[in-house]
Each structure stands twice: as C-alpha cells, then as structure tokens.
Amino acid sequence: MKLAKTLEDLRNAKRKGLIVYLTAGCPDYEITGKAVLAAAEAGADVIEIGLPFSDPMADGPVIQKAAALALQAGATTARTVELIRSIRQQCQVPLVVMTYVNTVLQYGVDRFARDFSEAGLNGIIVPDLPVEESELIAAACHANSLDTIQLAAPTSTGERIAAICSKSSGFIYCVSSTGVTGIRDIDYCPVAEVIGQVRQYSSIPAAIGFGIGSPEAARNAARYADAVIVGSAVMELLMNEGVPAVSEFVGALRSALDEGRESP
C-alpha cells in the first residue's frame, strides 16, 4: 500500500520519514487544508489528521484544546471526509486519520472505512482500540485498502508486541513514553528497546511519536526509528501563529532529519 511504500522507499534511501499531525477543523477546515498542503510542500512525508473528539484520552493539553476549538467550530466526521477528498485533489501525500473508536462506531465501521477510502485516505490509527479488539475494524479497513496502524509502548510485553506486529500495516506507532501527547524531554532508550523487539517480528517501518517538539528532538528520535511523528508542536504553532509558522517549522524538521541521515 502507498503508506508503507512511502516509508520503505525512504528507509531504502537511508532517509528518515517525517509524519506531521494536524487536527481536522482547527481553527477551521479551510486553514486545516492549507496547513496540510503547506506541511507536505515543506517536507512532510505523511500527514496524520486527527478527528476531533470530546474525550481524547491519548492527547495532551495542546491537542485537547485544538479538538475543543474544532468541535466548537462545527467539526464532524463527514466534513473531515470532505477535507480528505479536497486534499487528495491537490496533493498525493499519504494521509492517515487518528480517531477514537466511539467516533468510528457512531459513524458506522463499514461506512467509515468506505467513505474515507473513497475520499483518498491511506490508513487509520485508533489509540483506544486494543490490539485484542482490532478485528472490530480490521475487515472493513482491509476491504477498503486502509492500513491499520497499531501502537506499541515501552510497557508492551514481548508477547503483546508480537501481536501488534501481526495486526499492523503501514507502520507501527511506537509511543516514546507512557502518558499523553505533548512536548517534553524524552529518554528514548525504552522505546528503542520496543523498536528492537518490533524488528524481530516485522519489517514494517517503525515511527516514534509523543513528546517530539523541536528539530533537535526529531533528529535524536530518528536515530532509533524509521520515522518521527510531530503533533503538539505543530498545532501550537498553527493556533498561535498560523500556516506560515507551520511551514517554517516543518521545513526545519525536514532539514534536521536530512542532516542526521546516514550516507546512502
């Protein structure tokens, strides 16, 4: 699928992938669309679009605020489908949706997978759906050519990591630390051990997320993974300074990752 191929091509070229998160509809859908295009132009390899949810258990204060603003402005799942469709008409960057299982169930699992796939989505992340219950969406996603991205954490056991690898496609989201999203200093040794175990069970690209808030942090995290995921820092800039600041920051992240690359 497109998502895995993009990250695998980067890995083969000895480059690190950059995955940028943006909350759909914050501060409105027009600006979200512009931010996605700007991030892709500045060097993001994959865009993760968060569906606003009233109880985002995996998200820290910045993304909670972004979700609240989006919901207040009228964000819905159906409008996010149309956002994906609009982006896809202008840009071919791989797109992933991050959502919570209640949102999928409310919309309808089959309808959710079908509508987003037809709009041009490539994958889905559902952080509150345990791997043991992943079959709830797996068949619909597979039928609609959507990658299902599972999360692994420093607390995951070897047995659980094996199960996560067996159920994942596209990439594996390796959480840098326990807790919620947000910018903070991270000791990457625990997640490095997780990625080492992931690579025992699967060749799927591994991406590190949670806590990466600067080009230097992105470069440090990328030493251990195939890609890095940056969200809270991006959304903070978008809410406070607008799309140009996002473009500049993503460009700085891209440069830092390329400066830290191994020679081909």
Side-chain angles (χ1 to χ4, degrees):
M1 292 185 183
K2 182 175 183 177
L3 182 56
K5 186 177 188 307
T6 294
L7 294 175
E8 287 167 1
D9 286 349
L10 285 164
R11 182 165 61 186
N12 291 337
K14 297 189 183 300
R15 297 185 70 211
K16 300 296 186 176
L18 174 58
I19 302 170
V20 169
Y21 170 96
L22 292 157
T23 302
C26 177
D28 57 46
Y29 277 98
E30 181 181 1
I31 290 177
T32 304
K34 289 179 179 179
V36 169
L37 298 177
E41 179 68 23
D45 300 297
V46 176
I47 304 292
E48 179 187 341
I49 296 177
L51 274 173
F53 186 59
S54 58
D55 185 23
M57 60 180 286
D59 293 314
V62 172
I63 295 178
Q64 285 183 26
K65 178 182 177 181
L69 290 173
L71 290 170
Q72 289 169 12
T76 65
T77 302
R79 291 186 70 185
T80 305
V81 170
E82 293 310 309
L83 170 69
I84 300 290
R85 196 184 313 278
S86 173
I87 293 166
R88 186 52 75 225
Q89 290 170 355
Q90 304 171 75
C91 178
Q92 293 306 306
V93 66
L95 299 171
V96 174
V97 153
M98 196 287 280
T99 187
Y100 289 89
V101 68
N102 279 351
T103 300
V104 180
L105 295 176
Q106 184 177 27
Y107 195 83
V109 174
D110 291 334
R111 179 185 171 212
F112 188 100
R114 182 188 66 247
D115 287 2
F116 273 104
S117 177
E118 290 177 353
L121 191 71
N122 302 107
I124 179 173
I125 305 168
V126 188
D128 62 340
L129 184 66
V131 67
E132 294 84 357
E133 299 174 22
S134 60
E135 293 304 317
L136 181 66
I137 66 168
C141 289
H142 181 75
N144 289 280
S145 300
L146 291 177
D147 284 313
T148 51
I149 296 143
Q150 303 288 340
L151 287 83
T155 53
S156 300
T157 64
E159 182 180 3
R160 187 172 182 81
I161 290 172
I164 288 166
C165 290
S166 72
K167 301 291 185 181
S168 292
S169 60
F171 66 91
I172 295 175
Y173 193 131
C174 298
V175 177
S176 65
S177 61
T178 57
V180 297
T181 59
I183 304 165
R184 55 189 177 275
D185 292 331
I186 298 292
D187 175 7
Y188 293 106
C189 292
V191 73
E193 293 179 13
V194 170
I195 292 171
Q197 292 184 72
V198 164
R199 288 176 171 154
Q200 292 179 25
Y201 298 109
S202 175
S203 61
I204 296 173
I208 292 180
F210 286 38
I212 300 169
S214 68
E216 181 182 9
R219 184 169 56 241
N220 289 340
R223 293 167 52 201
Y224 305 100
D226 301 299
V228 297
I229 304 166
V230 185
S232 293
V234 173
M235 286 309 302
E236 193 163 44
L237 284 171
L238 182 61
M239 288 187 287
N240 294 333
E241 301 180 38
V243 173
V246 169
S247 179
E248 182 178 355
F249 181 59
V250 172
L253 292 169
R254 178 74 272 163
S255 295
L257 292 176
D258 288 344
E259 287 168 5
R261 67 183 289 196
E262 301 173 29
S263 300

mmCIF file of all heavy atoms in Angstrom, residues 3 6-7 47 55 58 75 107 115 139 142-143 155 160 175 208 239 254:
data_model
loop_
_atom_site.group_PDB
_atom_site.id
_atom_site.type_symbol
_atom_site.label_atom_id
_atom_site.label_comp_id
_atom_site.label_asym_id
_atom_site.label_seq_id
_atom_site.Cartn_x
_atom_site.Cartn_y
_atom_site.Cartn_z
ATOM 1 N N LEU A 3 1.158 3.926 1.860
ATOM 2 C CA LEU A 3 1.755 4.394 3.108
ATOM 3 C C LEU A 3 3.047 3.650 3.406
ATOM 4 O O LEU A 3 4.097 4.260 3.643
ATOM 5 C CB LEU A 3 0.751 4.212 4.245
ATOM 6 C CG LEU A 3 1.156 4.671 5.634
ATOM 7 C CD1 LEU A 3 1.551 6.123 5.630
ATOM 8 C CD2 LEU A 3 0.003 4.434 6.603
ATOM 9 N N THR A 6 5.841 4.427 0.831
ATOM 10 C CA THR A 6 6.483 5.728 1.044
ATOM 11 C C THR A 6 7.573 5.625 2.106
ATOM 12 O O THR A 6 8.705 6.091 1.911
ATOM 13 C CB THR A 6 5.438 6.776 1.472
ATOM 14 O OG1 THR A 6 4.536 6.995 0.385
ATOM 15 C CG2 THR A 6 6.096 8.087 1.852
ATOM 16 N N LEU A 7 7.242 4.994 3.247
ATOM 17 C CA LEU A 7 8.212 4.892 4.335
ATOM 18 C C LEU A 7 9.325 3.900 4.015
ATOM 19 O O LEU A 7 10.486 4.112 4.398
ATOM 20 C CB LEU A 7 7.492 4.506 5.624
ATOM 21 C CG LEU A 7 6.514 5.570 6.148
ATOM 22 C CD1 LEU A 7 5.746 5.057 7.353
ATOM 23 C CD2 LEU A 7 7.232 6.867 6.492
ATOM 24 N N ILE A 47 0.896 12.819 6.386
ATOM 25 C CA ILE A 47 0.115 13.701 7.244
ATOM 26 C C ILE A 47 -0.886 12.866 8.031
ATOM 27 O O ILE A 47 -1.636 12.076 7.457
ATOM 28 C CB ILE A 47 -0.650 14.769 6.433
ATOM 29 C CG1 ILE A 47 0.298 15.577 5.551
ATOM 30 C CG2 ILE A 47 -1.434 15.675 7.387
ATOM 31 C CD1 ILE A 47 1.260 16.462 6.282
ATOM 32 N N ASP A 55 -13.495 13.524 24.274
ATOM 33 C CA ASP A 55 -12.739 12.933 25.380
ATOM 34 C C ASP A 55 -11.489 12.254 24.838
ATOM 35 O O ASP A 55 -11.380 11.027 24.848
ATOM 36 C CB ASP A 55 -13.617 11.922 26.135
ATOM 37 C CG ASP A 55 -12.925 11.365 27.372
ATOM 38 O OD1 ASP A 55 -12.000 12.023 27.891
ATOM 39 O OD2 ASP A 55 -13.295 10.256 27.810
ATOM 40 N N ALA A 58 -5.801 10.006 24.761
ATOM 41 C CA ALA A 58 -4.375 9.865 24.467
ATOM 42 C C ALA A 58 -3.698 11.201 24.213
ATOM 43 O O ALA A 58 -2.489 11.244 24.002
ATOM 44 C CB ALA A 58 -4.172 8.946 23.259
ATOM 45 N N ALA A 75 -16.778 20.970 13.618
ATOM 46 C CA ALA A 75 -16.100 19.822 13.004
ATOM 47 C C ALA A 75 -16.939 18.557 13.151
ATOM 48 O O ALA A 75 -17.521 18.299 14.209
ATOM 49 C CB ALA A 75 -14.730 19.612 13.652
ATOM 50 N N TYR A 107 -20.317 6.533 13.498
ATOM 51 C CA TYR A 107 -20.437 6.757 12.059
ATOM 52 C C TYR A 107 -20.823 5.477 11.325
ATOM 53 O O TYR A 107 -21.480 5.515 10.282
ATOM 54 C CB TYR A 107 -19.112 7.291 11.522
ATOM 55 C CG TYR A 107 -19.157 7.897 10.147
ATOM 56 C CD1 TYR A 107 -19.550 9.219 9.962
ATOM 57 C CD2 TYR A 107 -18.768 7.163 9.028
ATOM 58 C CE1 TYR A 107 -19.564 9.793 8.695
ATOM 59 C CE2 TYR A 107 -18.776 7.730 7.759
ATOM 60 C CZ TYR A 107 -19.182 9.046 7.602
ATOM 61 O OH TYR A 107 -19.201 9.612 6.340
ATOM 62 N N ASP A 115 -16.142 5.431 3.179
ATOM 63 C CA ASP A 115 -16.161 6.861 2.847
ATOM 64 C C ASP A 115 -14.760 7.460 2.862
ATOM 65 O O ASP A 115 -14.388 8.228 1.951
ATOM 66 C CB ASP A 115 -17.066 7.617 3.816
ATOM 67 C CG ASP A 115 -18.543 7.366 3.562
ATOM 68 O OD1 ASP A 115 -18.864 6.576 2.649
ATOM 69 O OD2 ASP A 115 -19.375 7.952 4.289
ATOM 70 N N ALA A 139 -11.555 -5.956 9.202
ATOM 71 C CA ALA A 139 -12.134 -6.452 7.951
ATOM 72 C C ALA A 139 -12.562 -5.298 7.053
ATOM 73 O O ALA A 139 -12.303 -5.300 5.838
ATOM 74 C CB ALA A 139 -13.315 -7.373 8.244
ATOM 75 N N HIS A 142 -9.441 -3.565 5.652
ATOM 76 C CA HIS A 142 -8.802 -4.392 4.627
ATOM 77 C C HIS A 142 -9.604 -4.346 3.328
ATOM 78 O O HIS A 142 -9.039 -4.219 2.232
ATOM 79 C CB HIS A 142 -8.661 -5.830 5.118
ATOM 80 C CG HIS A 142 -7.999 -6.732 4.120
ATOM 81 N ND1 HIS A 142 -6.645 -6.693 3.882
ATOM 82 C CD2 HIS A 142 -8.511 -7.685 3.292
ATOM 83 C CE1 HIS A 142 -6.343 -7.585 2.937
ATOM 84 N NE2 HIS A 142 -7.457 -8.197 2.570
ATOM 85 N N ALA A 143 -10.921 -4.435 3.447
ATOM 86 C CA ALA A 143 -11.786 -4.427 2.259
ATOM 87 C C ALA A 143 -11.690 -3.107 1.505
ATOM 88 O O ALA A 143 -11.960 -3.062 0.290
ATOM 89 C CB ALA A 143 -13.231 -4.696 2.668
ATOM 90 N N THR A 155 5.762 -0.050 27.838
ATOM 91 C CA THR A 155 5.208 -1.033 28.770
ATOM 92 C C THR A 155 4.720 -2.302 28.081
ATOM 93 O O THR A 155 4.307 -3.250 28.749
ATOM 94 C CB THR A 155 4.029 -0.410 29.539
ATOM 95 O OG1 THR A 155 3.090 0.144 28.601
ATOM 96 C CG2 THR A 155 4.509 0.696 30.470
ATOM 97 N N ARG A 160 2.920 -9.138 23.544
ATOM 98 C CA ARG A 160 1.996 -8.140 23.009
ATOM 99 C C ARG A 160 2.569 -7.472 21.759
ATOM 100 O O ARG A 160 1.845 -7.196 20.797
ATOM 101 C CB ARG A 160 1.690 -7.098 24.080
ATOM 102 C CG ARG A 160 0.611 -6.111 23.665
ATOM 103 C CD ARG A 160 0.209 -5.224 24.833
ATOM 104 N NE ARG A 160 -0.851 -4.308 24.458
ATOM 105 C CZ ARG A 160 -2.143 -4.645 24.409
ATOM 106 N NH1 ARG A 160 -2.510 -5.874 24.699
ATOM 107 N NH2 ARG A 160 -3.050 -3.760 24.045
ATOM 108 N N VAL A 175 5.139 4.531 20.828
ATOM 109 C CA VAL A 175 4.960 5.634 21.767
ATOM 110 C C VAL A 175 6.240 5.803 22.580
ATOM 111 O O VAL A 175 6.731 4.849 23.187
ATOM 112 C CB VAL A 175 3.749 5.367 22.675
ATOM 113 C CG1 VAL A 175 3.585 6.468 23.697
ATOM 114 C CG2 VAL A 175 2.480 5.197 21.841
ATOM 115 N N ILE A 208 8.330 6.858 15.774
ATOM 116 C CA ILE A 208 8.256 7.303 17.163
ATOM 117 C C ILE A 208 7.383 8.545 17.253
ATOM 118 O O ILE A 208 7.577 9.507 16.503
ATOM 119 C CB ILE A 208 9.649 7.625 17.738
ATOM 120 C CG1 ILE A 208 10.499 6.365 17.877
ATOM 121 C CG2 ILE A 208 9.527 8.303 19.102
ATOM 122 C CD1 ILE A 208 11.889 6.613 18.433
ATOM 123 N N MET A 239 -2.197 27.239 15.895
ATOM 124 C CA MET A 239 -3.187 28.008 16.650
ATOM 125 C C MET A 239 -2.690 29.410 17.024
ATOM 126 O O MET A 239 -3.467 30.351 17.057
ATOM 127 C CB MET A 239 -3.587 27.237 17.921
ATOM 128 C CG MET A 239 -4.449 26.012 17.649
ATOM 129 S SD MET A 239 -5.082 25.225 19.157
ATOM 130 C CE MET A 239 -3.592 24.456 19.808
ATOM 131 N N ARG A 254 12.433 18.851 8.640
ATOM 132 C CA ARG A 254 12.938 18.092 7.483
ATOM 133 C C ARG A 254 14.449 18.261 7.341
ATOM 134 O O ARG A 254 15.179 17.291 7.101
ATOM 135 C CB ARG A 254 12.223 18.588 6.234
ATOM 136 C CG ARG A 254 12.637 17.967 4.901
ATOM 137 C CD ARG A 254 12.109 16.552 4.753
ATOM 138 N NE ARG A 254 13.007 15.552 5.306
ATOM 139 C CZ ARG A 254 12.650 14.300 5.599
ATOM 140 N NH1 ARG A 254 11.396 13.912 5.427
ATOM 141 N NH2 ARG A 254 13.507 13.446 6.068
#
